[in-house]
Protein backbone atom coordinates (compact mmCIF):
# COMPACT_ATOMS: atom_id res chain seq x y z
CA UNK A 1 0.00 0.00 0.00
CA UNK A 2 2.93 2.30 0.03
CA UNK A 3 2.08 5.78 -0.99
CA UNK A 4 5.38 5.97 -2.66
CA UNK A 5 7.31 7.98 -5.10
CA UNK A 6 4.54 7.68 -7.55
CA UNK A 7 2.10 9.14 -5.09
CA UNK A 8 -0.11 11.63 -6.81
CA UNK A 9 -0.43 13.86 -3.81
CA UNK A 10 -3.72 15.18 -4.97
CA UNK A 11 -2.92 16.03 -8.55
CA UNK A 12 0.27 14.74 -10.11
CA UNK A 13 -0.85 11.49 -11.70
CA UNK A 14 0.94 10.70 -14.91
CA UNK A 15 -0.40 7.53 -16.48
CA UNK A 16 -0.86 6.51 -20.05
CA UNK A 17 -3.76 8.42 -21.56
CA UNK A 18 -6.69 6.05 -21.40
CA UNK A 19 -8.56 8.16 -23.93
CA UNK A 20 -6.28 6.62 -26.54
CA UNK A 21 -7.81 3.19 -25.87
CA UNK A 22 -10.86 1.73 -27.52
CA UNK A 23 -13.82 3.79 -26.27
CA UNK A 24 -16.40 1.00 -26.59
CA UNK A 25 -17.29 -0.53 -23.24
CA UNK A 26 -18.30 -4.09 -22.46
CA UNK A 27 -21.16 -4.88 -20.10
CA UNK A 28 -20.43 -6.54 -16.78
CA UNK A 29 -22.50 -7.46 -13.77
CA UNK A 30 -22.26 -5.49 -10.54
CA UNK A 31 -21.03 -8.66 -8.86
CA UNK A 32 -18.10 -8.93 -11.29
CA UNK A 33 -17.32 -5.26 -10.77
CA UNK A 34 -17.28 -5.65 -6.98
CA UNK A 35 -15.17 -8.82 -7.09
CA UNK A 36 -12.54 -6.93 -9.05
CA UNK A 37 -12.26 -4.23 -6.38
CA UNK A 38 -12.24 -6.86 -3.65
CA UNK A 39 -9.21 -8.49 -5.30
CA UNK A 40 -7.54 -5.12 -5.83
CA UNK A 41 -8.06 -4.17 -2.19
CA UNK A 42 -6.63 -7.52 -1.09
CA UNK A 43 -3.58 -7.75 -3.35
CA UNK A 44 -3.06 -4.21 -4.64
CA UNK A 45 0.34 -2.96 -3.49
CA UNK A 46 2.34 -0.02 -4.80
CA UNK A 47 0.59 3.16 -3.69
CA UNK A 48 -2.20 5.28 -5.17
CA UNK A 49 -0.78 5.74 -8.64
CA UNK A 50 0.02 2.04 -8.92
CA UNK A 51 -3.55 1.27 -7.86
CA UNK A 52 -4.95 3.89 -10.26
CA UNK A 53 -2.81 2.44 -13.06
CA UNK A 54 -4.13 -1.04 -12.26
CA UNK A 55 -7.70 0.25 -12.59
CA UNK A 56 -6.83 1.81 -15.94
CA UNK A 57 -5.12 -1.32 -17.23
CA UNK A 58 -7.74 -3.77 -15.99
CA UNK A 59 -11.00 -1.84 -16.27
CA UNK A 60 -10.30 0.37 -19.30
CA UNK A 61 -7.81 -1.52 -21.46
CA UNK A 62 -8.33 -5.21 -20.71
CA UNK A 63 -11.93 -5.68 -19.61
CA UNK A 64 -13.27 -2.42 -21.09
CA UNK A 65 -15.84 -2.16 -18.32
CA UNK A 66 -15.07 1.58 -17.97
CA UNK A 67 -14.61 4.04 -20.83
CA UNK A 68 -11.41 6.07 -21.19
CA UNK A 69 -13.16 9.44 -20.77
CA UNK A 70 -14.96 8.25 -17.62
CA UNK A 71 -11.66 7.07 -16.13
CA UNK A 72 -9.93 10.37 -16.90
CA UNK A 73 -12.77 12.34 -15.35
CA UNK A 74 -12.66 10.12 -12.26
CA UNK A 75 -8.91 10.56 -11.88
CA UNK A 76 -9.22 14.34 -12.16
CA UNK A 77 -12.05 14.34 -9.62
CA UNK A 78 -9.93 12.36 -7.16
CA UNK A 79 -7.06 14.82 -7.69
CA UNK A 80 -9.31 17.79 -7.07
CA UNK A 81 -10.90 16.59 -3.85
CA UNK A 82 -9.11 16.04 -0.54
CA UNK A 83 -8.73 12.51 0.72
CA UNK A 84 -7.21 9.23 -0.52
CA UNK A 85 -6.75 9.25 -4.29
CA UNK A 86 -7.12 5.53 -5.07
CA UNK A 87 -10.15 5.05 -2.82
CA UNK A 88 -11.85 8.12 -4.24
CA UNK A 89 -11.19 7.01 -7.82
CA UNK A 90 -12.60 3.56 -7.01
CA UNK A 91 -15.72 5.13 -5.48
CA UNK A 92 -16.17 7.39 -8.52
CA UNK A 93 -15.98 4.44 -10.90
CA UNK A 94 -18.48 2.65 -8.68
CA UNK A 95 -20.74 5.71 -8.93
CA UNK A 96 -20.42 5.63 -12.72
CA UNK A 97 -21.38 1.95 -12.66
CA UNK A 98 -24.37 2.08 -10.27
CA UNK A 99 -24.58 5.57 -8.77
CA UNK A 100 -24.82 5.72 -4.95
CA UNK A 101 -25.22 1.96 -4.53
CA UNK A 102 -22.17 1.33 -6.70
CA UNK A 103 -20.02 3.87 -4.83
CA UNK A 104 -21.08 2.39 -1.49
CA UNK A 105 -20.41 -1.24 -2.40
CA UNK A 106 -17.14 -0.50 -4.18
CA UNK A 107 -15.85 1.46 -1.17
CA UNK A 108 -16.62 -1.49 1.10
CA UNK A 109 -15.00 -4.01 -1.26
CA UNK A 110 -11.87 -1.92 -1.82
CA UNK A 111 -11.27 -0.73 1.76
CA UNK A 112 -12.52 -3.77 3.67
CA UNK A 113 -9.57 -6.15 3.16
CA UNK A 114 -6.88 -3.68 4.21
CA UNK A 115 -8.98 -2.61 7.22
CA UNK A 116 -9.20 -6.21 8.43
CA UNK A 117 -5.44 -6.71 7.94
CA UNK A 118 -4.63 -3.54 9.87
CA UNK A 119 -7.05 -4.57 12.60
CA UNK A 120 -5.18 -7.86 13.04
CA UNK A 121 -1.76 -6.17 12.97
CA UNK A 122 -2.88 -3.55 15.50
CA UNK A 123 -4.08 -6.27 17.86
CA UNK A 124 -0.71 -8.02 17.59
CA UNK A 125 1.14 -4.74 18.07
CA UNK A 126 -0.90 -3.89 21.15
CA UNK A 127 -0.28 -7.33 22.60
CA UNK A 128 3.39 -7.75 21.70
CA UNK A 129 4.50 -4.12 21.28
CA UNK A 130 6.85 -4.32 24.24
CA UNK A 131 8.71 -7.39 22.99
CA UNK A 132 12.23 -6.95 21.68
CA UNK A 133 11.61 -8.67 18.37
CA UNK A 134 8.83 -6.30 17.35
CA UNK A 135 10.90 -3.31 18.40
CA UNK A 136 13.77 -4.63 16.28
CA UNK A 137 11.56 -5.10 13.23
CA UNK A 138 10.22 -1.56 13.42
CA UNK A 139 13.71 -0.18 14.08
CA UNK A 140 14.56 -1.14 10.51
CA UNK A 141 11.15 -0.47 9.02
CA UNK A 142 11.13 3.16 10.19
CA UNK A 143 14.36 3.83 8.32
CA UNK A 144 12.94 2.29 5.15
CA UNK A 145 9.84 4.47 5.50
CA UNK A 146 12.09 7.53 5.48
CA UNK A 147 13.74 6.29 2.28
CA UNK A 148 10.34 5.92 0.65
CA UNK A 149 9.37 9.42 1.73
CA UNK A 150 12.58 10.87 0.27
CA UNK A 151 12.10 9.12 -3.05
CA UNK A 152 8.44 10.12 -3.07
CA UNK A 153 9.34 13.77 -2.64
CA UNK A 154 11.97 13.65 -5.38
CA UNK A 155 9.78 11.86 -7.91
CA UNK A 156 6.77 14.03 -7.18
CA UNK A 157 8.78 17.20 -7.66
CA UNK A 158 9.99 15.91 -11.01
CA UNK A 159 6.54 14.89 -12.16
CA UNK A 160 4.29 17.61 -10.81
CA UNK A 161 6.42 20.73 -10.40
CA UNK A 162 9.12 20.03 -13.01
CA UNK A 163 10.18 23.28 -14.71
CA UNK A 164 7.03 25.21 -13.93
CA UNK A 165 8.22 28.57 -12.55
CA UNK A 166 4.85 29.37 -11.01
CA UNK A 167 4.59 26.09 -9.09
CA UNK A 168 8.13 26.13 -7.67
CA UNK A 169 7.58 29.00 -5.20
CA UNK A 170 4.37 27.32 -3.99
CA UNK A 171 6.20 24.02 -3.53
CA UNK A 172 9.11 25.62 -1.64
CA UNK A 173 6.81 27.68 0.58
CA UNK A 174 4.70 24.64 1.49
CA UNK A 175 7.77 22.52 2.27
CA UNK A 176 9.24 25.28 4.42
CA UNK A 177 6.00 25.89 6.34
CA UNK A 178 5.53 22.16 6.95
CA UNK A 179 9.07 21.73 8.24
CA UNK A 180 8.90 24.89 10.36
CA UNK A 181 5.49 24.36 11.94
CA UNK A 182 5.72 20.54 11.94
CA UNK A 183 2.18 20.39 10.63
CA UNK A 184 0.22 20.44 7.40
CA UNK A 185 -1.76 23.67 7.13
CA UNK A 186 -4.90 23.57 5.01
CA UNK A 187 -4.71 27.26 4.18
CA UNK A 188 -1.34 26.72 2.46
CA UNK A 189 -2.94 24.24 0.06
CA UNK A 190 -5.91 26.48 -0.60
CA UNK A 191 -3.68 29.51 -1.10
CA UNK A 192 -1.53 27.58 -3.58
CA UNK A 193 -4.62 26.62 -5.55
CA UNK A 194 -5.94 30.18 -5.56
CA UNK A 195 -2.62 31.63 -6.76
CA UNK A 196 -2.49 29.37 -9.82
CA UNK A 197 -6.19 29.89 -10.42
CA UNK A 198 -5.85 33.69 -10.46
CA UNK A 199 -2.72 33.65 -12.62
CA UNK A 200 -3.66 31.05 -15.21
CA UNK A 201 -7.44 31.04 -15.30
CA UNK A 202 -8.80 34.15 -13.57
CA UNK A 203 -12.58 34.00 -13.28
CA UNK A 204 -14.54 36.52 -15.27
CA UNK A 205 -17.35 38.22 -13.44
CA UNK A 206 -20.27 39.47 -15.49
CA UNK A 207 -22.12 41.45 -12.86
CA UNK A 208 -24.32 38.58 -11.76
CA UNK A 209 -24.44 37.17 -8.25
CA UNK A 210 -22.72 33.82 -7.67
CA UNK A 211 -25.01 32.09 -6.81
CA UNK A 212 -21.42 5.33 24.73
CA UNK A 213 -20.75 2.96 27.26
CA UNK A 214 -20.24 -0.81 26.78
CA UNK A 215 -20.94 -3.64 29.24
CA UNK A 216 -17.87 -4.78 31.21
CA UNK A 217 -17.47 -8.01 29.28
CA UNK A 218 -17.23 -6.02 26.05
CA UNK A 219 -14.77 -3.47 27.41
CA UNK A 220 -11.89 -4.88 25.32
CA UNK A 221 -13.55 -3.35 22.24
CA UNK A 222 -12.53 0.10 23.55
CA UNK A 223 -9.15 -0.85 25.01
CA UNK A 224 -6.04 0.71 23.52
CA UNK A 225 -2.49 1.50 24.62
CA UNK A 226 -3.64 3.53 27.61
CA UNK A 227 -6.44 1.27 28.74
CA UNK A 228 -10.15 1.55 28.10
CA UNK A 229 -11.19 4.71 26.24
CA UNK A 230 -14.29 6.67 27.19
CA UNK A 231 -17.05 7.95 24.95
CA UNK A 232 -15.50 11.41 24.62
CA UNK A 233 -12.23 9.95 23.36
CA UNK A 234 -14.10 7.88 20.81
CA UNK A 235 -16.00 10.90 19.49
CA UNK A 236 -12.76 12.88 19.37
CA UNK A 237 -11.15 10.13 17.28
CA UNK A 238 -14.10 10.09 14.91
CA UNK A 239 -14.18 13.89 14.53
CA UNK A 240 -10.41 14.27 14.16
CA UNK A 241 -10.13 11.70 11.37
CA UNK A 242 -13.19 13.10 9.67
CA UNK A 243 -11.43 16.48 9.54
CA UNK A 244 -8.32 14.78 8.18
CA UNK A 245 -10.32 13.16 5.40
CA UNK A 246 -12.22 16.35 4.60
CA UNK A 247 -9.49 18.98 4.62
CA UNK A 248 -6.18 17.31 3.81
CA UNK A 249 -5.37 17.55 0.13
CA UNK A 250 -2.83 15.26 -1.43
CA UNK A 251 -3.85 11.94 0.11
CA UNK A 252 -1.41 9.27 1.05
CA UNK A 253 1.85 10.59 2.44
CA UNK A 254 0.57 14.16 2.30
CA UNK A 255 -1.64 13.35 5.27
CA UNK A 256 1.32 12.18 7.39
CA UNK A 257 2.33 15.59 8.80
CA UNK A 258 -1.30 16.45 9.57
CA UNK A 259 -1.80 13.20 11.46
CA UNK A 260 1.54 13.50 13.20
CA UNK A 261 0.69 16.91 14.63
CA UNK A 262 -2.71 15.85 15.94
CA UNK A 263 -2.02 12.28 17.03
CA UNK A 264 1.37 12.95 18.67
CA UNK A 265 1.49 16.61 19.66
CA UNK A 266 -2.10 17.73 20.22
CA UNK A 267 -3.86 14.69 21.66
CA UNK A 268 -0.81 12.66 22.78
CA UNK A 269 -2.47 9.44 21.70
CA UNK A 270 0.83 8.00 20.41
CA UNK A 271 4.48 8.89 20.75
CA UNK A 272 6.75 9.52 17.75
CA UNK A 273 7.90 5.90 17.58
CA UNK A 274 4.39 4.51 17.70
CA UNK A 275 3.24 6.94 15.02
CA UNK A 276 6.04 5.86 12.67
CA UNK A 277 5.12 2.26 13.39
CA UNK A 278 1.52 3.03 12.37
CA UNK A 279 2.70 4.50 9.05
CA UNK A 280 5.01 1.54 8.49
CA UNK A 281 2.25 -1.01 9.12
CA UNK A 282 0.02 0.76 6.60
CA UNK A 283 2.81 0.67 4.03
CA UNK A 284 3.32 -3.09 4.20
CA UNK A 285 -0.37 -3.88 3.72
CA UNK A 286 -2.32 -3.59 0.46
CA UNK A 287 -4.86 -0.89 -0.26
CA UNK A 288 -4.72 2.84 0.55
CA UNK A 289 -2.04 4.01 3.02
CA UNK A 290 -4.64 6.13 4.73
CA UNK A 291 -5.83 2.91 6.36
CA UNK A 292 -3.16 3.79 8.93
CA UNK A 293 -6.07 5.65 10.52
CA UNK A 294 -7.52 2.28 11.50
CA UNK A 295 -4.25 1.22 13.13
CA UNK A 296 -4.02 4.46 15.09
CA UNK A 297 -7.66 4.24 16.12
CA UNK A 298 -7.09 0.72 17.43
CA UNK A 299 -4.13 1.82 19.55
CA UNK A 300 -6.24 4.64 21.00
CA UNK A 301 -9.58 2.93 21.60
CA UNK A 302 -9.42 -0.70 20.48
CA UNK A 303 -11.49 -2.20 17.64
CA UNK A 304 -14.24 0.39 18.08
CA UNK A 305 -11.64 3.16 17.81
CA UNK A 306 -10.28 1.55 14.63
CA UNK A 307 -13.75 1.50 13.12
CA UNK A 308 -14.40 5.12 14.14
CA UNK A 309 -11.09 6.40 12.73
CA UNK A 310 -11.50 4.49 9.46
CA UNK A 311 -15.11 5.56 9.03
CA UNK A 312 -14.16 9.17 9.75
CA UNK A 313 -11.27 9.37 7.31
CA UNK A 314 -13.14 7.73 4.42
CA UNK A 315 -16.57 9.29 4.97
CA UNK A 316 -15.73 12.71 3.46
CA UNK A 317 -14.38 11.31 0.19
CA UNK A 318 -17.40 9.02 -0.07
CA UNK A 319 -19.74 12.00 0.38
CA UNK A 320 -17.74 14.03 -2.13
CA UNK A 321 -18.38 11.32 -4.70
CA UNK A 322 -22.09 10.70 -4.15
CA UNK A 323 -22.95 14.39 -3.67
CA UNK A 324 -20.58 16.22 -6.02
CA UNK A 325 -20.04 13.72 -8.84
CA UNK A 326 -23.23 14.68 -10.73
CA UNK A 327 -22.24 18.36 -10.71
CA UNK A 328 -18.60 17.61 -11.47
CA UNK A 329 -19.55 15.73 -14.63
CA UNK A 330 -20.88 18.99 -16.03
CA UNK A 331 -17.78 21.08 -15.34
CA UNK A 332 -14.88 18.59 -15.55
CA UNK A 333 -13.05 20.57 -18.25
CA UNK A 334 -13.38 23.98 -16.57
CA UNK A 335 -10.10 25.94 -16.80
CA UNK A 336 -10.47 27.36 -13.30
CA UNK A 337 -10.86 23.90 -11.77
CA UNK A 338 -7.78 22.60 -13.60
CA UNK A 339 -5.68 25.58 -12.52
CA UNK A 340 -6.75 25.23 -8.89
CA UNK A 341 -5.73 21.54 -8.94
CA UNK A 342 -2.25 22.47 -10.19
CA UNK A 343 -1.69 24.84 -7.28
CA UNK A 344 -3.00 22.39 -4.72
CA UNK A 345 -0.73 19.70 -6.16
CA UNK A 346 2.39 21.83 -5.84
CA UNK A 347 1.56 22.64 -2.22
CA UNK A 348 0.84 18.98 -1.44
CA UNK A 349 4.20 17.91 -2.86
CA UNK A 350 5.86 20.54 -0.71
CA UNK A 351 4.10 19.14 2.37
CA UNK A 352 5.39 15.65 1.58
CA UNK A 353 8.91 17.02 1.25
CA UNK A 354 8.59 18.73 4.62
CA UNK A 355 7.23 15.52 6.13
CA UNK A 356 10.22 13.57 4.81
CA UNK A 357 12.54 15.99 6.58
CA UNK A 358 10.66 15.83 9.88
CA UNK A 359 10.30 12.07 9.98
CA UNK A 360 13.93 11.48 8.99
CA UNK A 361 15.01 13.33 12.14
CA UNK A 362 12.96 10.96 14.25
CA UNK A 363 13.67 7.66 12.48
CA UNK A 364 17.36 7.95 11.54
CA UNK A 365 18.96 8.12 14.97
CA UNK A 366 22.17 6.11 14.64
CA UNK A 367 24.57 4.56 12.14
CA UNK A 368 22.44 1.42 11.76
CA UNK A 369 19.25 3.26 10.81
CA UNK A 370 21.23 5.58 8.53
CA UNK A 371 22.69 2.61 6.65
CA UNK A 372 19.30 0.91 6.41
CA UNK A 373 17.72 4.11 5.08
CA UNK A 374 20.48 4.55 2.47
CA UNK A 375 20.27 0.91 1.40
CA UNK A 376 16.50 1.12 1.09
CA UNK A 377 16.76 4.33 -0.93
CA UNK A 378 19.33 2.72 -3.25
CA UNK A 379 17.09 -0.31 -3.75
CA UNK A 380 14.11 1.91 -4.57
CA UNK A 381 16.06 4.14 -6.97
CA UNK A 382 18.15 1.55 -8.80
CA UNK A 383 15.94 -1.51 -8.43
CA UNK A 384 12.86 -0.01 -9.99
CA UNK A 385 11.04 -3.33 -10.19
CA UNK A 386 11.55 -4.13 -6.51
CA UNK A 387 8.16 -3.75 -4.78
CA UNK A 388 8.18 -1.42 -1.81
CA UNK A 389 6.57 -3.92 0.58
CA UNK A 390 9.59 -6.18 -0.08
CA UNK A 391 11.95 -3.33 0.81
CA UNK A 392 9.97 -2.68 4.00
CA UNK A 393 10.04 -6.37 4.97
CA UNK A 394 13.76 -6.64 4.25
CA UNK A 395 14.46 -3.58 6.40
CA UNK A 396 12.40 -5.14 9.18
CA UNK A 397 14.43 -8.36 8.93
CA UNK A 398 17.68 -6.38 9.17
CA UNK A 399 16.39 -4.48 12.18
CA UNK A 400 15.39 -7.75 13.84
CA UNK A 401 18.80 -9.31 13.18
CA UNK A 402 20.71 -6.32 14.51
CA UNK A 403 18.62 -6.02 17.67
CA UNK A 404 18.96 -9.57 18.97
Amino acid sequence: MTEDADTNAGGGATTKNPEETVPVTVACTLREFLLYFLRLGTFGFGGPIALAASMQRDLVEKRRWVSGPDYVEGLAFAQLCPGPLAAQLAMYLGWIRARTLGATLVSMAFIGPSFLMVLALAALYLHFGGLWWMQGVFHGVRAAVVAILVRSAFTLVRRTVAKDRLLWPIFVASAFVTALTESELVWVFLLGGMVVLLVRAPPRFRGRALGFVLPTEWGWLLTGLKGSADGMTLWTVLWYFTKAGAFVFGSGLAIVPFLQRGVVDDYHWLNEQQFLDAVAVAMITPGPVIITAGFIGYLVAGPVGAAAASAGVFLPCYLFVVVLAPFYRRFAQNRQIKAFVQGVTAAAVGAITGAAFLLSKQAVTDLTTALVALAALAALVFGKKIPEPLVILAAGAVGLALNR
Side-chain angles (χ1 to χ4, degrees):
M1 139 180 340
T2 59
E3 307 272 335
D4 65 354
D6 295 329
T7 301
N8 170 271
T14 55
T15 58
K16 185 168 56 178
N17 185 2
E19 291 184 308
E20 297 175 359
T21 61
V22 180
V24 180
T25 58
V26 175
C28 71
T29 65
L30 182 58
R31 179 177 179 273
E32 291 174 323
F33 203 73
L34 295 176
L35 283 176
Y36 168 77
F37 280 102
L38 184 63
R39 287 194 297 271
L40 186 64
T42 304
F43 303 107
F45 288 95
I49 295 306
L51 294 172
S54 295
M55 294 180 213
Q56 174 191 322
R57 181 188 64 244
D58 298 335
L59 298 178
V60 179
E61 298 176 3
K62 290 185 177 180
R63 294 175 173 83
R64 290 191 291 167
W65 290 348
V66 175
S67 71
D70 281 345
Y71 175 87
V72 169
E73 286 185 3
L75 187 60
F77 182 83
Q79 292 169 337
L80 175 63
C81 295
L85 171 77
Q88 203 150 40
L89 174 58
M91 292 176 194
Y92 186 89
L93 296 180
W95 182 86
I96 292 292
R97 177 64 179 76
R99 293 303 187 261
T100 300
L101 176 63
T104 303
L105 296 178
V106 164
S107 65
M108 296 170 63
F110 183 58
I111 298 167
S114 59
F115 174 73
L116 293 177
M117 293 179 201
V118 164
L119 205 64
L121 289 172
L124 292 173
Y125 183 90
L126 193 62
H127 187 69
F128 296 109
L131 296 184
W132 66 270
W133 62 268
M134 182 164 279
Q135 294 175 345
V137 168
F138 283 111
H139 190 65
V141 167
R142 293 184 204 106
V145 169
V146 170
I148 292 174
L149 281 165
V150 171
R151 192 189 69 153
S152 298
F154 176 79
T155 304
L156 284 169
V157 169
R158 186 182 61 191
R159 292 189 174 187
T160 62
V161 182
K163 298 180 180 179
D164 194 313
R165 295 182 179 180
L166 177 59
L167 298 183
W168 266 102
I170 297 173
F171 159 77
V172 172
S174 179
F176 178 77
V177 169
T178 301
L180 182 64
T181 64
E182 300 186 0
S183 64
E184 184 183 64
L185 302 178
V186 175
W187 65 264
V188 175
F189 283 3
L190 298 179
L191 182 59
M194 289 303 299
V195 168
V196 179
L197 166 64
L198 294 175
V199 172
R200 293 186 170 164
R204 297 178 180 179
F205 300 101
R206 299 179 180 178
R208 292 184 298 179
L210 302 176
F212 70 107
V213 177
L214 293 177
T216 304
E217 61 270 22
W218 295 99
W220 63 274
L221 291 173
L222 285 170
T223 301
L225 286 171
K226 300 178 180 179
S228 181
D230 56 25
M232 181 58 68
T233 299
L234 191 63
W235 280 111
T236 303
V237 168
L238 175 63
W239 176 239
Y240 175 74
F241 282 98
T242 300
K243 288 192 296 182
F247 298 111
V248 177
F249 284 87
S251 76
L253 293 178
I255 204 172
V256 169
F258 181 91
L259 294 182
Q260 181 186 31
R261 179 64 177 268
V263 170
V264 177
D265 299 330
D266 294 343
Y267 294 107
H268 307 290
W269 288 330
L270 306 181
N271 59 36
E272 296 286 358
Q273 175 179 311
Q274 292 162 345
F275 177 78
L276 280 172
D277 291 344
V279 176
V281 165
M283 298 180 92
I284 61 174
T285 54
V289 77
I290 196 58
I291 200 63
T292 190
F295 189 90
I296 295 171
Y298 193 107
L299 298 188
V300 176
V304 177
S310 299
V313 83
F314 285 108
L315 179 62
C317 70
Y318 169 78
L319 293 177
F320 285 139
V321 171
V322 298
V323 175
L324 299 181
F327 303 99
Y328 169 77
R329 296 271 285 182
R330 303 177 188 175
F331 306 105
Q333 302 305 315
N334 183 277
R335 290 175 60 246
Q336 282 80 18
I337 291 178
K338 288 184 176 181
F340 184 80
V341 170
Q342 286 182 318
V344 168
T345 299
V349 175
I352 291 177
T353 304
F357 170 75
L358 292 173
L359 293 179
S360 65
K361 293 194 304 180
Q362 299 152 9
V364 181
T365 56
D366 51 30
L367 180 60
T368 298
T369 50
L371 292 175
V372 171
L374 289 174
L377 183 60
L380 292 168
V381 172
F382 299 108
K384 296 183 178 180
K385 294 185 178 180
I386 300 177
E388 289 184 5
L390 183 59
V391 174
I392 292 287
L393 292 173
V398 171
L400 178 61
L402 295 177
N403 282 271
R404 283 184 176 277

